[in-house]
Amino acid sequence: LTDDEREGESKDVIERVMVASKQIAIDAADRGTEIHKGAESIMLGQAWNQDDPQLVAINEWKDANIIEVDYTEKVLLNHEIGYGGTADLKADHQQSGRTVIDLKSQNCKPGANGKPRANFYPAFVLQLAAYAAVEGGGIPVASLIVDKNSPTVFEKLWTEEQVAAAFEAFKCLHG
């Protein structure tokens, strides 16, 4: 191959990798949306795909933890500070009472024990703290992560201190 042919071949490989990468991202987003919509149906007592292992895991989590659903997919607005967002779920939780819960899906990687391990990122509590403030503050918040690779659900109830610090950080970032 000439130098020009090698360069053209390299550009072709790069282009194929870029196209494949974009498709993987689109597929991951589609799966996340599918899980999210299914979870909403479960919370509302509507029909859902009972052959989907992730949704079965969410339903089992709901049965074990949720007493009553207050709302799903509710737009929350803070007119005083000037922000808004859509909260996934507010429900009466067995352990924490009325709680604002945000659902995320992740490709969880195995931990040292070989079992999937979820990542709870600081941005999660920033979002939830902002929602809690709209709800009047003082309400517990939790993140729920569904592993896209296994029928596993992880839950993290954020502490009052974490939520308070996150809301202060949110106000600084927002301002």
Side-chain angles (χ1 to χ4, degrees):
L1 294 175
T2 67
D3 286 343
D4 286 342
E5 289 172 327
R6 272 192 222 108
E7 184 177 324
E9 190 173 290
S10 293
K11 286 180 181 179
D12 183 51
V13 168
I14 291 169
E15 178 63 27
R16 286 191 308 227
V17 168
M18 295 295 289
V19 167
S21 174
K22 286 178 185 175
Q23 189 59 50
I24 289 169
I26 289 168
D27 292 347
D30 288 349
R31 180 64 180 137
T33 299
E34 185 179 303
I35 290 170
H36 207 272
K37 286 181 179 182
E40 182 181 12
S41 293
I42 289 167
M43 297 303 160
L44 294 174
Q46 299 171 346
W48 54 278
N49 180 359
Q50 296 188 12
D51 293 328
D52 184 318
Q54 281 73 26
L55 296 183
V56 170
I58 292 168
N59 188 59
E60 290 170 355
W61 174 86
K62 177 191 178 272
D63 288 347
N65 294 286
I66 300 301
I67 299 165
E68 179 182 29
V69 172
D70 292 351
Y71 62 71
T72 64
E73 298 301 316
K74 182 176 180 182
V75 174
L76 300 176
L77 301 171
N78 184 318
H79 297 284
E80 183 182 327
I81 299 175
Y83 67 85
T86 302
D88 292 340
L89 174 65
K90 180 180 176 188
D92 189 4
H93 190 285
Q94 293 275 6
Q95 294 178 338
S96 54
R98 294 280 185 249
T99 304
V100 175
I101 302 167
D102 188 55
L103 175 73
K104 306 282 189 201
S105 57
Q106 285 183 4
N107 285 312
C108 298
K109 306 288 185 248
N113 62 2
K115 294 181 180 178
R117 186 178 62 84
N119 290 308
F120 292 92
Y121 297 107
F124 294 177
V125 72
L126 282 173
Q127 176 185 13
L128 284 162
Y131 293 160
V134 174
E135 289 285 343
I139 186 170
V141 299
S143 294
L144 192 68
I145 294 178
V146 180
D147 182 12
K148 292 181 184 179
N149 303 311
S150 72
T152 309
V153 175
F154 302 90
E155 179 182 5
K156 177 175 180 145
L157 180 66
W158 298 91
T159 67
E160 289 180 30
E161 293 80 17
Q162 289 170 317
V163 175
F167 189 59
E168 288 305 312
F170 177 85
K171 289 190 294 186
C172 290
L173 291 168
H174 183 70

